């Protein structure tokens, strides 16, 4: 789960900044104004923003730390400073929720996303994120409601609708409603065939119903394009276990561990689940040899 790849642009401070930049560039290029003057005005406006609206400055720096410098600790700290001001935008709440989700803090992620939805109730992406966080925190019924709301708000089939359908499918799967989940996944894939996570969720649902061939088809589709995808390798291992191919399962599960960091909670399958599954397979192999 990731926050949208955009900073918080809908803020009055940003509008003034853009106006200063545009007017400054035109004045410099057309009217030969000394370039130091518009540049100084922009710098002065940033300093003023740091005093008047520090939350938006924290958000922008957090965005840069997250997506440009890939320093997640600093991004986390900046977004927390923005949220602590009680004046953060919904995007800041969503970004911090995404970082909390990646760290396994699912209850905190739910609380942050609920606040974001309160400020921006018509954003389907926030509803989708909320559904995923609720599912991880064990709130399956609430996750279905959030995903259904996100699906009804989605307006761009190329982006929001497949994600909303997958979130709804995940929520149904968490409730044990496999037929409803499979239907949602299939609809999402009809709109976006390369939706990897959706294919793996569909494979999981087929596996739960005992349809090993259908599950294997979905996993093989993913592994052809992403042979080092740890989630795909995990489900390949689960299918091998169901088929009684324990040595093959051991190889797949070992690969799933090798291609992901220990503290990466953003993957579909928790790291501990992969470790436990591999341990059980190896224990069985040791017992029969």
């Amino acid at each position: 789960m990731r926050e949208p790849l955009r900073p918080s642009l809908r803020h009055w401070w940003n509008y003034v900044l853009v106006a200063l930049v545009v007017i400054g560039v035109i004045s410099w290029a057309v009217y030969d104004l000394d370039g130091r003057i518009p540049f100084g005005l922009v710098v002065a406006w940033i300093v003023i923003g740091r005093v008047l609206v520090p939350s938006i400055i924290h958000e922008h720096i957090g965005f840069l730390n997250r997506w440009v410098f890939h320093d997640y600790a600093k991004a986390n700290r900046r977004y927390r400073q923005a949220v602590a001001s009680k004046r953060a935008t919904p995007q800041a709440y969503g970004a911090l929720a995404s970082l909390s989700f990646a760290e396994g803090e699912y209850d905190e992620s739910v609380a942050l996303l609920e606040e974001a939805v309160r400020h921006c109730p018509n954003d389907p992406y926030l509803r989708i994120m909320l559904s995923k966080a609720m599912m991880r925190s064990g709130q399956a019924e609430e996750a279905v409601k959030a995903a259904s709301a996100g699906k009804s708000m989605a307006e761009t089939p190329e982006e929001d609708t497949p994600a909303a359908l997958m979130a709804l499918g995940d929520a149904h799967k968490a409730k044990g409603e496999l037929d409803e989940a499979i239907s949602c996944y299939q609809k999402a894939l009809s709109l976006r065939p390369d939706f990897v996570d959706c294919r793996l969720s569909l494979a999981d649902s087929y596996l739960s119903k005992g349809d090993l061939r259908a599950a294997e088809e979905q996993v093989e589709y993913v592994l052809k394009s992403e042979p080092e995808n740890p989630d795909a390798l995990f489900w390949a291992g689960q299918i091998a276990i169901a088929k009684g191919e324990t040595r093959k399962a051991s190889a797949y599960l070992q690969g799933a561990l090798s291609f992901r960091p220990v503290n990466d909670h953003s993957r579909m399958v928790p790291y501990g689940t992969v470790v436990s599954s591999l341990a059980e397979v190896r224990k069985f192999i040791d017992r029969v040899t």
Side-chain angles (χ1 to χ4, degrees), residues 3 40 51 55 142 164 177 202:
E3 68 271 22
V51 175
S55 62
E142 291 80 0
E177 300 169 347
L202 180 57

Side-chain angles (χ1 to χ4, degrees), residues 208-266:
S208 297
K209 293 194 70 173
D211 192 342
L212 301 185
R213 176 173 293 185
E216 195 168 26
E217 287 177 357
Q218 299 302 321
V219 172
E220 287 179 350
Y221 184 99
V222 175
L223 288 175
K224 284 181 181 178
S225 58
E226 298 184 16
E228 296 182 357
N229 184 304
D231 289 321
L233 289 168
F234 172 81
W235 290 117
Q238 298 306 300
I239 294 169
I241 291 172
K243 295 170 67 176
E245 301 170 347
T246 51
R247 293 191 182 278
K248 184 183 289 188
S250 178
Y252 280 131
L253 293 170
Q254 182 59 56
L257 288 180
S258 301
F259 293 121
R260 63 175 287 178
V262 176
N263 295 321
D264 183 3
H265 297 280
S266 62

